[in-house]
């Protein structure tokens, strides 16, 4: 384990592995854990704290693997700070999710909340950057057939979402990661001819 990371980080990796066991990235055979590790890596590379890296490992756990009960488990095991970031990175904790456009519009508006902690902005930005990079990579391989993986099934809808995210992060957390997200979304638009 790298110097500076405590056993709690290893515990978070194990919990993420447990909660997301059997899950894969959309339309692939890539274990979902790879995304969580990549987001934690981006957070650490950007100077994030161990608490923020742990939240990065668990950022989808409550939303995709147990809702409020999972969030409370995270709170008990890793504390209020990690649980608060995970909650802030979740667009819903409901089992029956609202339609995609409503959830995403609410999430984008949520990013402008002045009380949103910087750690939540960092983890969310790292998450969205990794997702956008994956979309660009898959657009290069599969072209517009990629959009069939998404619930919206629509390149324009996904591009609207990522452009809105890039604009929000440019306002709320300007810097290299936000700039990289903007450049990646521009590449997404170019490859999708949108």
């Amino acid at each position: 384990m790298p110097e500076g990371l405590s056993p709690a980080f290893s515990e978070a990796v194990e919990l993420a592995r447990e909660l997301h066991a059997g899950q894969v990235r959309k339309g692939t055979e890539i274990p979902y854990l790879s995304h969580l590790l990549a987001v934690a890596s981006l957070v650490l590379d950007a100077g994030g704290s161990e608490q923020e890296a742990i939240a990065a490992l668990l950022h989808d756990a409550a939303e995709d693997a147990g809702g409020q009960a999972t969030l409370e488990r995270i709170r008990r095991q890793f504390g209020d700070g990690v649980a608060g970031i995970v909650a802030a990175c979740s667009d819903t904790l409901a089992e029956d999710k609202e339609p995609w456009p409503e959830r995403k519009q609410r999430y984008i508006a949520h990013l402008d909340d002045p009380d949103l902690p910087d750690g939540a902005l960092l983890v969310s930005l790292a998450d969205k950057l990794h997702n956008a990079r994956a979309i660009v990579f898959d657009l290069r391989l599969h072209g517009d057939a990629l959009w069939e993986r998404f619930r919206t099934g629509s390149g324009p809808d996904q591009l609207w979402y990522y452009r809105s995210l890039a604009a929000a992060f440019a306002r709320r957390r300007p810097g290299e990661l936000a700039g990289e997200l903007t450049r990646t979304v521009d590449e997404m638009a170019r490859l999708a001819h949108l």
Side-chain angles (χ1 to χ4, degrees):
M1 182 168 49
E3 188 173 300
L5 294 176
S6 76
F9 185 85
S10 297
E11 291 171 27
V13 171
E14 180 54 30
L15 181 58
R17 188 203 58 75
E18 172 193 327
L19 292 172
H20 296 280
Q23 293 179 3
V24 294
R25 297 281 286 167
K26 283 182 177 130
T28 75
E29 294 301 315
I30 300 168
Y32 197 75
L33 185 61
S34 71
H35 168 65
L36 304 173
L37 291 167
V39 174
S41 177
L42 286 169
V43 166
L44 289 169
D45 287 350
S49 68
E50 181 180 46
Q51 176 177 281
E52 292 162 343
I54 288 170
L57 289 167
L58 301 172
H59 76 271
D60 280 334
E63 183 176 320
D64 294 339
Q68 191 64 41
T70 296
L71 185 61
E72 291 310 314
R73 181 178 179 185
I74 291 167
R75 186 180 314 283
R76 285 191 306 274
Q77 193 166 349
F78 300 102
D80 290 339
V82 170
I85 293 171
V86 171
C89 289
S90 302
D91 67 18
T92 185
L93 297 181
E95 193 172 316
D96 293 323
K97 295 181 179 184
E98 297 172 88
W100 185 89
E102 286 85 353
R103 283 186 294 118
K104 299 311 178 188
Q105 287 172 349
R106 187 176 61 242
Y107 190 81
I108 291 163
H110 159 74
L111 292 175
D112 282 322
D113 180 344
D115 295 326
L116 195 63
D118 186 63
L121 287 167
L122 174 58
V123 172
S124 181
L125 174 53
D127 171 38
K128 303 317 182 209
L129 175 57
H130 187 257
N131 285 339
R133 286 176 173 172
I135 290 170
V136 165
F137 181 83
D138 285 345
L139 274 169
R140 288 185 181 125
L141 290 177
H142 306 292
D144 287 339
L146 161 74
W147 304 123
E148 295 171 12
R149 295 180 188 175
F150 295 89
R151 288 193 179 120
T152 64
S154 163
D157 288 343
Q158 291 294 326
L159 191 57
W160 161 81
Y161 180 52
Y162 279 94
R163 280 183 170 148
S164 299
L165 289 166
F169 287 118
R171 282 190 310 275
R172 291 302 315 278
R173 199 173 198 286
E176 184 51 39
L177 281 184
E180 179 65 21
L181 179 59
T182 297
R183 290 186 295 276
T184 304
V185 173
D186 289 345
E187 179 71 358
M188 186 189 304
R190 189 186 68 73
L191 290 168
H193 309 289
L194 295 172

